[in-house]
Amino acid sequence: FSDGSESEAKVVGADPKTDIALIRVEREGELHPLRLGDSDAILPGDFVVAIGNPFGLDHTVTLGIVSAKGRELGQGPYDDYIQTDAAINPGNSGGPLLDLSGAVIGVNTAVNPQANTIGFAVPINLAKDILPQLRESGSVTRGWIGVSVQAVTPELAKALSLSGTDGALVAQVMPDGPAARAGLERGDVIQSLGGKPIRKLSDLSRAVAATPVGTSVEVELLRDGAPLRVEITVDKLADAGASGGQERAPGGAASLGMRIEDLDDALRERLGLGDRAGVVVVDVDPEGPAASAGIEPGDVVLEADRKPVASATELDARI
């Protein structure tokens, strides 16, 4: 604390996927919590203040502006960082990012070591969304609909006769999953879920994760260029990661945190691979080595260790 005193704290709950933890400390009458603001209301250019202990320099205050919102850093499917030029260094993590009214609009979490005045904070609205679950159960339960998606590139948009690149292209539908039961098909382009527009992949991840398990939501999509609406009942994302709770053999691709399947002719044609052999990545554990290396669902593995791979079994063996 600012007076140099220390107290024991208890971890109430933690969520590694968003790098947020909730702790409890007993100092009745001595603590005055900061007001939590609205991170959705801030705009690039707004002034912000960061507080933390950079390099052990206790309670350092720095001033800057919001440089951007919605930054994705490759940390996982729930990336939605606030970028700021307020000086943030190692030791600032966990400290508040405040607006000029003193309300917390972010939790400082990351820096770019190759750049000056580029720091990142978890939006406080994201933390507020998961706090009730952390209080009640110590962990976070997220929704799951059972699809792997990929970005709509200009080339894919042209091939699918789309007017733009908004949306999430369904690359794989998990058998017996919520999306399969609702009739989603590979090649569908999801445009909105539960009334929330889906402009990029992370929009879908966050919208599904934030939907209570068991809730039925309307999904608007394009199929062969024609609009379509379906109802999907959101299931629970398995604790094992992005595999959807399906059993995976030890070693192989699973050891890298990804699930793979053989390419079929339809997907090979859609991706313009011709007769090239390869293996499609169906799911990626956001905390696994594959995600850290930049591999995403919908990627096609052509070679491993500089040798072509023609099947999932072959790739598993090569790994």
Side-chain angles (χ1 to χ4, degrees):
F1 296 91
S2 58
D3 62 1
S5 63
E6 297 181 0
S7 293
E8 291 289 330
K10 177 184 177 182
V11 177
V12 177
D15 180 41
K17 288 183 172 62
T18 56
D19 201 25
I20 292 293
L22 177 65
I23 67 171
R24 178 181 289 115
V25 61
E26 302 292 346
R27 286 173 70 107
E28 291 186 12
E30 298 183 40
L31 301 180
H32 305 282
L34 288 167
R35 177 169 54 88
L36 302 185
D38 180 5
S39 53
D40 290 342
I42 64 170
L43 296 170
D46 287 351
F47 282 101
V48 288
V49 173
I51 302 177
N53 306 323
F55 302 110
L57 301 171
D58 293 351
H59 304 97
T60 296
V61 179
T62 54
L63 174 69
I65 62 169
V66 173
S67 303
K69 295 171 61 177
R71 288 300 198 205
E72 298 177 21
L73 307 182
Q75 304 300 306
Y78 311 116
D79 279 14
D80 186 23
Y81 291 100
I82 299 168
Q83 181 184 332
T84 177
D85 67 353
I88 293 177
N89 291 285
N92 275 103
S93 294
L97 188 69
L98 311 167
D99 63 20
L100 293 191
S101 74
V104 182
I105 51 92
V107 182
N108 302 325
T109 188
V111 297
N112 185 331
Q114 279 80 45
N116 292 318
T117 63
I118 296 182
F120 301 95
V122 176
I124 201 63
N125 286 10
L126 188 153
K128 288 194 290 188
D129 286 343
I130 66 174
L131 279 178
Q133 292 193 60
L134 291 180
R135 283 197 191 98
E136 294 169 12
S137 63
S139 60
V140 177
T141 298
R142 291 183 168 87
W144 176 76
I145 61 172
V147 294
S148 292
V149 292
Q150 64 186 87
V152 181
T153 64
E155 293 79 11
L156 283 172
K158 183 178 180 181
L160 296 171
S161 301
L162 302 176
S163 59
T165 58
D166 284 357
L169 175 63
V170 176
Q172 191 80 9
V173 180
M174 308 307 170
D176 301 321
R181 292 192 291 270
L184 260 70
E185 300 177 0
R186 189 184 320 203
D188 289 346
V189 179
I190 299 175
Q191 301 278 286
S192 75
L193 184 140
K196 298 177 181 178
I198 306 300
R199 295 187 173 88
K200 53 185 179 179
L201 301 188
S202 57
D203 291 341
L204 181 63
S205 298
R206 290 194 288 268
V208 172
T211 303
V213 174
T215 302
S216 181
V217 294
E218 183 180 77
V219 175
E220 297 183 8
L221 55 90
L222 295 175
R223 179 175 295 169
D224 298 325
L228 183 66
R229 295 185 179 185
V230 299
E231 291 282 333
I232 295 182
T233 301
V234 176
D235 206 341
K236 177 183 177 181
L237 178 65
D239 293 337
S243 66
Q246 300 183 21
E247 292 294 323
R248 301 188 302 190
S255 68
L256 301 182
M258 63 181 182
R259 192 161 69 85
I260 56 175
E261 289 185 4
D262 294 337
L263 279 172
D264 60 26
D265 291 339
L267 185 57
R268 187 180 288 107
E269 180 180 355
R270 183 174 291 119
L271 296 175
L273 295 174
D275 58 357
R276 295 189 69 179
V279 176
V280 65
V281 177
V282 176
D283 279 308
V284 178
D285 182 344
E287 298 171 19
S292 298
I295 294 177
E296 302 176 357
D299 286 351
V300 176
V301 180
L302 301 176
E303 298 181 354
D305 199 19
R306 294 176 294 175
K307 296 178 182 177
V309 290
S311 68
T313 302
E314 185 177 341
L315 178 57
D316 276 333
R318 189 72 52 75
I319 294 172

